Amino acid sequence: MKEEQHDFSRGSMLGNILRLSLPLIVAQFINVLYNIVDRMYIGRIPGAESAALTGVGVAFPIITGITAFSLLVGTGGAPLCSIARGKGDEKRAEHIMGNSFLMTLVMGVALLGMGLLVKEPLLYALGASPATFGYANDYISIYLLGTVFVMISLSMNGFINCQGFAKMGMLTVLIGAVLNLILDPVFIFVFHMGVKGAAIATVLSQMVSAFWVVRFLTGKKTLLHLRISSMKPDFPCMGEILSLGLSGFIMAATNCGVQVVCNVTLQFYGGDVYVGIMTIVNSVREVLSVPASGLTQGTQPILGFNYGAGEYARVKSGIKIMSVICMVYTTIAWGITLLIPQIFIRLFNGGKELMELGVPAMRIYFFGFCFMSLQFAGQSVFTGLGKAKQAIFFSLLRKAVIVIPLTLWLPKVAGLGATGVFLAEPVSNFIGGTACFVTMLCVIWPALSRKQ
């Protein structure tokens, strides 16, 4: 049973994908709760409400930036680790994991120092106003102190999942999330610490998750062990990790860039209320993207393992299963946002102005959400099979090449104003998602067929 659980070249592909993806989807839902719960509570702080929520929204791109560096290591190291496992080279797999951990520590310390130095001018550049700066500064000042723990939790949990310990990976996140759910109302409302309390709860929760990850990877139950000897700097190995992880980094970093451009543009065309609406919309997108993201990320190690083992027919089967499930789900999610957007807005703030402006904005933003699944599926195949160049290109295409220019241009077209900012997302999903998936079919599929 143990061998079948961790050998992805055996059993049905659908069974392997679901067994690895479902706990990962649950884990990602829980991970999203770290930020979502903060915003829900923050939106209800007496006397602050909209201003506090907008302040956290302004700080959110910095959090996304930290996540991007976590993905630079995690999404690069974990697929390479899976391919090495498929080839039966566990020594190299451990070496990849050790160097990934070393880079995570170094990056975490560097980002902490840099963030504390530039936070004030950066927050104003991200769209803070005199009314919202205090809330943004209070939140991010404390959040930055937990940078190292956040990065360990996010980047190294992938090495638990790629070994087939999906339930343990889920538990890693669950522990921190439950703690966060308990501590948030205590620090915010009982101790009357406001947004500072929300940040403290999040940092403490991520700290516990980080210690749990390290404890498991150095314990007896894991297949690959995190050892000091495997952390000896190997610059060619680090280069491979960073090269493949660059696609995940670019996706998160460009998300950060898009958030910055959106906040600044919305501040110009609509003021604080539209920045608050975008904070809510981004939160809803995070939640609705989780099943598609978890499914595709859970499929990556299975594709990589079978690719390394030479089981190319199983790789093709995995791509088909993943793509169909992903498309069906995102189509359903689109329908939900079209029919009942009010429910999502009420979760964060029931204000009349936010409701009136937020409902049409959300319907526009999520139009054609099903095309997002094409980006998820195509991107995960390139990354899972170690195709760094294609993964990097399509990471840049949708956000940097399409969304950001459209966000700046569309508000000026036909007097669209703030509406143009929300319209940029569905246009990019259609163009970028289709291009990524079609290219994957034209490049990867024939290559796999020739190798069978």
Side-chain angles (χ1 to χ4, degrees):
M1 178 64 70
K2 183 177 181 180
E3 185 179 2
E4 289 180 356
Q5 183 180 359
H6 306 293
D7 185 348
F8 302 136
S9 65
R10 300 186 181 188
S12 74
M13 285 298 286
L14 176 60
N16 282 333
I17 289 172
L18 293 179
R19 181 171 52 79
L20 205 59
S21 296
L22 291 179
L24 187 57
I25 289 171
V26 174
Q28 289 196 9
F29 263 125
I30 296 165
N31 196 39
V32 167
L33 284 176
Y34 278 120
N35 292 319
I36 300 297
V37 171
D38 283 343
R39 294 168 212 166
M40 290 172 65
Y41 283 127
I42 288 168
R44 288 169 168 76
I45 294 176
E49 288 97 10
S50 180
L53 184 63
T54 300
V56 175
V58 168
F60 189 64
I62 299 176
I63 297 171
T64 305
I66 294 172
T67 301
F69 280 95
S70 303
L71 294 176
L72 178 61
V73 177
T75 61
L80 291 176
C81 191
S82 291
I83 294 173
R85 283 192 64 231
K87 293 179 179 178
D89 192 349
E90 292 199 355
K91 184 177 180 180
R92 172 167 169 75
E94 287 190 350
H95 189 63
I96 291 169
M97 183 168 66
N99 273 257
S100 296
F101 186 75
L102 177 63
M103 285 192 290
T104 298
L105 291 179
V106 173
M107 288 181 184
V109 173
L111 288 173
L112 166 61
M114 188 181 304
L116 291 175
L117 285 174
V118 302
K119 62 177 181 174
E120 183 171 345
L122 183 57
L123 287 172
Y124 278 115
L126 294 176
S129 67
T132 61
F133 173 78
Y135 297 109
N137 185 57
D138 285 347
Y139 189 87
I140 204 63
S141 296
I142 295 172
Y143 187 93
L144 284 170
L145 297 177
T147 300
V148 174
F149 303 115
V150 171
M151 291 190 65
I152 290 174
S153 177
L154 292 177
S155 65
M156 298 308 296
N157 203 33
F159 291 93
I160 296 177
N161 293 319
C162 80
Q163 296 178 63
F165 295 105
K167 292 181 180 178
M168 183 58 66
M170 178 184 68
L171 185 59
T172 298
V173 185
L174 179 62
I175 291 171
V178 171
L179 184 60
N180 193 47
L181 288 168
I182 295 170
L183 293 180
D184 247 336
V186 173
F187 281 108
I188 294 174
F189 300 113
V190 178
F191 294 157
H192 305 290
M193 298 182 71
V195 294
K196 290 182 180 179
I200 291 172
T202 300
V203 168
L204 290 176
S205 303
Q206 290 284 20
M207 184 186 302
V208 173
S209 291
F211 280 118
W212 182 270
V213 169
V214 174
R215 181 185 177 188
F216 179 79
L217 291 175
T218 55
K220 296 179 180 179
K221 294 182 179 180
T222 184
L223 300 178
L224 304 174
H225 290 84
L226 185 61
R227 312 174 195 271
I228 294 179
S229 59
S230 66
M231 297 180 201
K232 183 179 179 181
D234 181 343
F235 296 108
C237 178
M238 290 180 177
E240 288 185 60
I241 294 168
L242 296 177
S243 177
L244 185 58
L246 196 57
S247 64
F249 172 81
I250 289 171
M251 286 187 72
T254 50
N255 276 338
C256 177
V258 168
Q259 289 161 10
V260 172
V261 173
C262 285
N263 283 349
V264 173
T265 307
L266 287 171
Q267 187 67 252
F268 178 79
Y269 285 99
D272 286 344
V273 63
Y274 271 105
V275 177
I277 290 170
M278 182 57 80
T279 301
I280 294 172
V281 169
N282 275 326
S283 301
V284 175
R285 176 182 54 80
E286 284 181 48
V287 174
L288 294 181
S289 296
V290 163
S293 176
L295 175 71
T296 53
Q297 288 185 32
T299 306
Q300 276 185 26
I302 297 172
L303 297 180
F305 187 99
N306 281 281
Y307 187 73
E311 298 286 346
Y312 303 117
R314 289 175 65 82
V315 176
K316 292 173 66 176
S317 175
I319 294 173
K320 290 179 184 177
I321 293 168
M322 172 186 65
S323 301
V324 170
I325 296 175
C326 206
M327 176 59 79
V328 170
Y329 164 73
T330 50
T331 301
I332 295 172
W334 174 21
I336 293 172
T337 59
L338 186 65
L339 295 173
I340 50 172
Q342 301 91 338
I343 292 177
F344 297 106
I345 297 174
R346 287 195 185 100
L347 287 174
F348 295 89
N349 189 294
K352 183 179 179 181
E353 187 177 23
L354 278 177
M355 186 67 67
E356 290 178 353
L357 298 175
V359 167
M362 184 172 291
R363 284 176 172 153
I364 292 170
Y365 187 90
F366 286 101
F367 187 84
F369 187 63
C370 53
F371 288 100
M372 173 73 81
S373 66
L374 300 181
Q375 177 80 25
F376 277 126
Q379 191 76 30
S380 68
V381 172
F382 288 131
T383 303
L385 302 187
K387 308 299 181 182
K389 292 181 181 179
Q390 292 94 331
I392 291 169
F393 174 79
F394 286 106
S395 295
L396 282 169
L397 177 66
R398 192 174 72 84
K399 292 291 187 180
V401 178
I402 301 175
V403 176
I404 291 178
L406 284 178
T407 301
L408 295 171
W409 177 66
L410 284 176
K412 302 175 183 178
V413 177
L416 285 174
T419 301
V421 177
F422 296 97
L423 185 60
E425 183 72 10
V427 174
S428 73
N429 284 342
F430 175 74
I431 298 173
T434 302
C436 181
F437 193 77
V438 169
T439 303
M440 182 273 293
L441 290 179
C442 293
V443 174
I444 299 296
W445 204 263
L448 292 172
S449 298
R450 287 194 298 268
K451 290 180 178 181
Q452 288 181 235

